[in-house]
Amino acid sequence: MKVKGTYKRSDIWLAFWLIIPTLIAIGITAFYPLGQTLYDSFFRWSLRPGFEREFLGFQNYVNLFQDPRFLRSLWNTVYFTFFSVLIEFLLGLGTALILNADFKLRGLVRAAVLIPWAIPTAVSSQMWKWMYNDQYGVISLMLYNLGILEEGTPILGTPGMAMSAIIAVDVWKTTPFVALLLLAGLQIIPNELYEAARIDGASIWKQFTSITLPVLRPTIGVTLIFRTLDALRVFDIVYIMTQGAVGTETLAVYNRSLLMDNIFSPRGLFGYGSALSVVIFLIIGLFTIIYMRSLNIKLD
Amino acid sequence: MRWGMRAKRNTQRTILYILVILMVIFYIFPFYWAIKSSFTADQYLFTKNITLWPQGFTFENYIKVFTERPFGLNILNSIIVAGATTIFSIIVGSFAAYAIARLKIPGKGPLMLLILAVSMFPQVSILGGLFQLLRNLGLINTYPGLIIPYIALNLPLTTWILQNFFRELPKEIEESAYIDGCSKFETLWRIVLPLSAPGLVTTGLLAFIQAWNEFLFALTFMQTPAKYTVPVAIAMFTGKTFYEVPWGQLMAASVIVTMPLVILVLVFQNRIVQGLTAGSVKG
C-alpha cells in the first residue's frame, strides 16, 4: 500500500483534469442511462404523453420470469452462444495453426482472413441473406443440387434451420478474430520446444496436446470468455436475418422490440422492457466478474 | 535425407497448401459472391444457373444505388459520425490513458475498472435510458445524438490500448523534456503524443471501424432514411414494394461500404492485429 504523502499534488491535479472528460462522457452516456433503466424497471409506464407512472415494485421482474417469450429468447440466446462460440473456437484454432505454419504468401493470407471481421455485421448479414435466398441463393441452390434440401425450402423461414443459418454467419464473421487472438498466443511458443519434441520422436498430435494446448491455455480462456460475452449480446445478425421469427429471437432482439415497438403503447411496456434490460445487464455482469477473476487482470 | 522422410514432408506440404486454399475460400467467398452479384444484370441474377463469373456484366447497380436512394447521404452520415467519434475519443482517451500510464495517483485500479466496465455494458441495457436522455435533449435524429454515445462506447478501447502504448515509450525522453522546463501537460502534448503516432493511428482505426459498423444505436436513434448511417441503410434496403428486394443494388451498396474497410485492413494489417491483441478488446 502506498502512503498518501508519496503522491505529488500537481500530479493528482493534472490527472484529475486529464481523466475528467472521460468520466463525464461515460457517466452521461453509460452510467446515467443504466440508472434510469433500473429506475424505470419498477414502474408501469411508457413515453406516451401524459402516461402516469405506476409503481409496481418487483412485479415486472416476476412477470418476466413467467413470460414464455422471455424464457424462449433466453434459451435461444444460450443455444446461439454455446454453438457459435464452440464452432468459432474450433475453426479459429484450426485457422491459427495454419497461419502459424510456414508457407508462401502467408502475410497476404493473414490479411485475407481478416476481411470478414472488418465487414459491418449489417452488411455481412445481407450478403448471407442473399446467399440463403430460397429461389436464387447460391447456398440454397448448392444444397438443392446436393440433395440435402428440398427445392424451394426457405432456409431463413424454417425453424431450426434459421438458427443454424444465423450461427453460420456469426461463425464466418467472428472466427478471424478468434484466430488472431489464438495466433498471438501460438507465436510466443519457442520453436526449440517443438524441435526437442521431434528429436524425441513425438508425433504431431502428441506435440499438439503436450506443448501447444498447455501453453495456449490462458489465451484460450481469454478468447472463450470474450466471445461468450459478445455472443450473449447478439442483436444485428438476428434482427436483419429474421427479425427474431421462427425461433431465433434472442434476448437483445426481444428487449429492443419491447422497448421500441411499444414505446408509446398505452399498455406501459417501457417499464417491463427496462426490467429485461436490467436482467440482461446482470447476466453479462455475472460473466464479466468470472472473466475478471479468471484473467486476473492487473489494473494499476 | 531419406526418401521416405522426404515423401512424408512433401505430403505434409501438400496437405498444408490444400488447407490454406480451403481456408481462404471460406473467408473470401461471401465477399466475392457479393462483388460478383453486384456486377450481374438482373435477368442473370434471378436465375437458377449459377456461374462463378458475372453474366451480363454491368455497372447499373452501382449507378442506381446513388440515383434511386439517398445512399450518398448515408455514406456522408457515416463518415461524419465515425470521423467525429474517432477524433474525439482519441483526444479524450489519450488524456486519460496518459494519466493512467504515467502519473502517480491513488485509485488507479478502480478508475480503470470503471472505464473498462463500460465496454462490458450490453448496449441494449442502456438503450431505453439513453433514448429518453437524447429525446429530452432534442438529439434524436441528429449527428451529436449518435456521436456522443459512440465516444463513450469507444473510450474503454482507446484508453486501454493507448495506455499500453504510452507505457512502452522510453521514460527518459519525457524526463529530459520536463527538466528542460516543459510542464507535464506540454510534455504530453508536444512529446508523448507525436511520439506515439503509430499507436494513435492503430487506435483511431479500431475506433473508426467500431463506430462505422455500429448498428443498434444507429437503428434506434436515426429515424429518417436521410439520416441513416450505412449499416442501417443496408439493413433497411427495400425495393419499390416491401417484398421485392433489389439484390443487385444491395450487393453493390455492400461492396461500396466494404471496400474502404478491406483496403484499410490490407494496408494496416499488422497494426490492427497488434492493437487487437494488445487491447484484447473486440472492435
Side-chain angles (χ1 to χ4, degrees):
Chain A
M1 278 309 279
K2 279 175 188 144
V3 190
K4 212 176 173 199
T6 61
Y7 300 114
K8 269 195 261 160
R9 252 188 111 99
S10 60
D11 276 9
I12 293 181
W13 269 115
L14 179 61
F16 174 80
W17 289 115
L18 289 177
I19 292 171
I20 204 75
T22 295
L23 290 185
I24 292 175
I26 63 175
I28 292 176
T29 46
F31 288 100
Y32 171 77
L34 186 69
Q36 178 74 49
T37 300
L38 181 64
Y39 176 78
D40 290 341
S41 72
F42 296 114
F43 294 88
R44 182 202 312 280
W45 91 293
S46 77
L47 301 191
R48 191 185 183 82
F51 194 98
E52 285 285 321
R53 272 177 189 277
E54 185 192 337
F55 183 73
L56 292 179
F58 282 95
Q59 194 58 46
N60 279 330
Y61 292 92
V62 174
N63 293 346
L64 198 58
F65 282 89
Q66 288 161 351
D67 175 354
R69 199 169 155 192
F70 163 71
L71 296 172
R72 247 193 331 265
S73 61
L74 179 63
W75 165 248
N76 290 341
T77 308
V78 172
Y79 182 93
F80 171 87
T81 303
F82 179 80
F83 283 105
S84 62
V85 173
L86 179 71
I87 300 169
E88 280 155 24
F89 170 68
L90 294 176
L91 271 182
L93 185 61
T95 303
L97 288 171
I98 294 174
L99 287 178
N100 199 35
D102 193 27
F103 57 87
K104 279 177 200 142
L105 300 175
R106 190 168 69 157
L108 198 66
V109 170
R110 194 171 76 159
V113 165
L114 210 55
I115 288 174
W117 169 81
I119 300 178
T121 315
V123 175
S124 36
S125 302
Q126 290 284 33
M127 286 178 177
W128 280 77
K129 213 172 163 183
W130 166 232
M131 297 199 297
Y132 286 142
N133 185 284
D134 52 356
Q135 292 298 312
Y136 312 107
V138 61
I139 293 179
S140 307
L141 289 171
M142 278 196 299
L143 292 177
Y144 303 154
N145 291 340
L146 290 171
I148 296 171
L149 216 69
E150 240 173 88
E151 194 161 352
T153 315
I155 294 177
L156 291 173
T158 311
M161 226 181 266
M163 185 54 109
S164 309
I166 287 174
I167 291 173
V169 182
D170 194 67
V171 165
W172 178 74
K173 152 126 197 123
T174 317
T175 306
F177 175 74
V178 175
L180 282 182
L181 287 187
L182 294 176
L183 180 62
L186 282 177
Q187 283 175 338
I188 54 171
I189 304 177
N191 229 338
E192 291 79 47
L193 275 181
Y194 291 108
E195 269 159 33
R198 260 197 296 275
I199 291 165
D200 290 346
S203 66
I204 290 186
W205 177 249
K206 182 84 187 146
Q207 290 173 32
F208 177 71
T209 52
S210 59
I211 302 174
T212 314
L213 273 186
V215 180
L216 213 52
R217 184 172 293 161
T219 319
I220 291 173
V222 179
T223 311
L224 286 183
I225 296 157
F226 253 124
R227 283 302 309 135
T228 308
L229 286 175
D230 226 54
L232 287 171
R233 303 184 260 206
V234 62
F235 176 80
D236 308 18
I237 302 183
V238 180
Y239 184 84
I240 295 169
M241 300 279 240
T242 62
Q243 293 244 342
V246 286
T248 59
E249 188 164 68
T250 59
L251 288 172
V253 175
Y254 182 35
N255 200 174
R256 187 182 182 278
S257 147
L258 268 182
L259 289 172
M260 291 299 148
D261 297 348
N262 300 293
I263 187 162
F264 300 118
S265 143
R267 291 165 67 204
L269 284 172
F270 205 83
Y272 188 59
S274 302
L276 177 52
S277 301
V278 173
V279 169
I280 295 178
F281 182 82
L282 291 177
I283 293 173
I284 306 270
L286 190 75
F287 271 90
T288 308
I289 291 168
I290 298 171
Y291 161 66
M292 299 303 264
R293 283 271 157 85
S294 59
L295 277 187
N296 212 356
I297 289 184
K298 287 200 179 61
L299 297 159
D300 69 316
Chain B
M1 200 182 274
R2 283 187 295 125
W3 278 108
M5 263 175 87
R6 196 163 191 179
K8 197 177 157 198
R9 281 196 66 157
N10 277 337
T11 328
Q12 279 179 4
R13 290 260 93 182
T14 314
I15 293 172
L16 177 66
Y17 276 102
I18 290 170
L19 287 175
V20 169
I21 290 166
L22 286 177
M23 187 178 82
V24 171
I25 291 175
F26 173 71
Y27 289 116
I28 294 293
F29 182 78
F31 185 50
Y32 170 72
W33 200 250
I35 298 176
K36 181 250 170 193
S37 303
S38 71
F39 287 117
T40 305
D42 272 1
Q43 70 263 35
Y44 297 105
L45 198 58
F46 300 109
T47 147
K48 296 193 176 177
N49 287 326
I50 334 175
T51 55
L52 222 43
W53 301 107
Q55 280 176 289
F57 188 92
T58 174
F59 285 105
E60 201 180 346
N61 290 320
Y62 286 86
I63 297 163
K64 277 189 181 163
V65 152
F66 288 105
T67 52
E68 288 185 0
R69 48 184 79 240
F71 196 65
L73 214 52
N74 300 138
I75 292 180
L76 186 70
N77 293 340
S78 274
I79 291 175
I80 292 172
V81 170
T85 302
T86 306
I87 293 167
F88 284 118
S89 41
I90 287 286
I91 295 174
V92 174
S94 64
F95 286 175
Y98 182 74
I100 286 162
R102 279 292 194 256
L103 298 176
K104 264 179 127 187
I105 47 162
K108 254 187 211 179
L111 202 67
M112 205 59 215
L113 200 66
L114 197 70
I115 297 173
L116 279 179
V118 176
S119 73
M120 303 298 173
F121 274 29
Q123 265 167 268
V124 76
S125 285
I126 52 174
L127 190 72
L130 201 53
F131 185 84
Q132 288 178 67
L133 179 73
L134 295 172
R135 188 161 169 261
N136 293 339
L137 294 172
L139 291 178
I140 294 293
N141 219 21
T142 67
Y143 293 138
L146 217 46
I147 294 169
I148 296 168
Y150 281 4
I151 294 172
L153 284 187
N154 260 309
L155 278 175
L157 175 105
T158 36
T159 313
W160 185 249
I161 298 183
L162 283 174
Q163 63 106 17
N164 271 334
F165 273 107
F166 290 161
R167 271 171 212 260
E168 282 164 21
L169 288 180
K171 246 183 170 161
E172 295 72 34
I173 303 176
E174 284 165 66
E175 272 156 13
S176 63
Y178 191 56
I179 291 162
D180 286 349
C182 277
S183 75
K184 280 214 171 152
F185 185 77
E186 279 173 330
T187 314
L188 165 64
W189 192 249
R190 294 228 199 112
I191 313 279
V192 177
L193 287 185
L195 274 179
S196 30
L200 296 178
V201 171
T202 307
T203 318
L205 217 59
L206 290 173
F208 187 85
I209 292 178
Q210 188 161 295
W212 183 271
N213 294 359
E214 202 282 337
F215 180 63
L216 177 62
F217 284 176
L219 173 74
T220 310
F221 303 150
M222 292 304 209
Q223 303 194 323
T224 53
K227 277 290 162 66
Y228 286 168
T229 58
V230 158
V232 183
I234 297 239
M236 299 296 199
F237 220 92
T238 46
K240 293 193 179 75
T241 62
F242 185 77
Y243 291 99
E244 172 210 343
V245 180
W247 286 108
Q249 281 185 50
L250 180 47
M251 290 304 113
S254 302
V255 172
I256 294 166
V257 301
T258 306
M259 265 311 172
L261 295 177
V262 168
I263 292 168
L264 281 179
V265 164
L266 293 181
V267 173
F268 291 101
Q269 189 232 127
N270 279 321
R271 286 198 180 157
I272 290 177
V273 174
Q274 219 182 355
L276 278 179
T277 44
S280 270
V281 179
K282 183 168 161 61

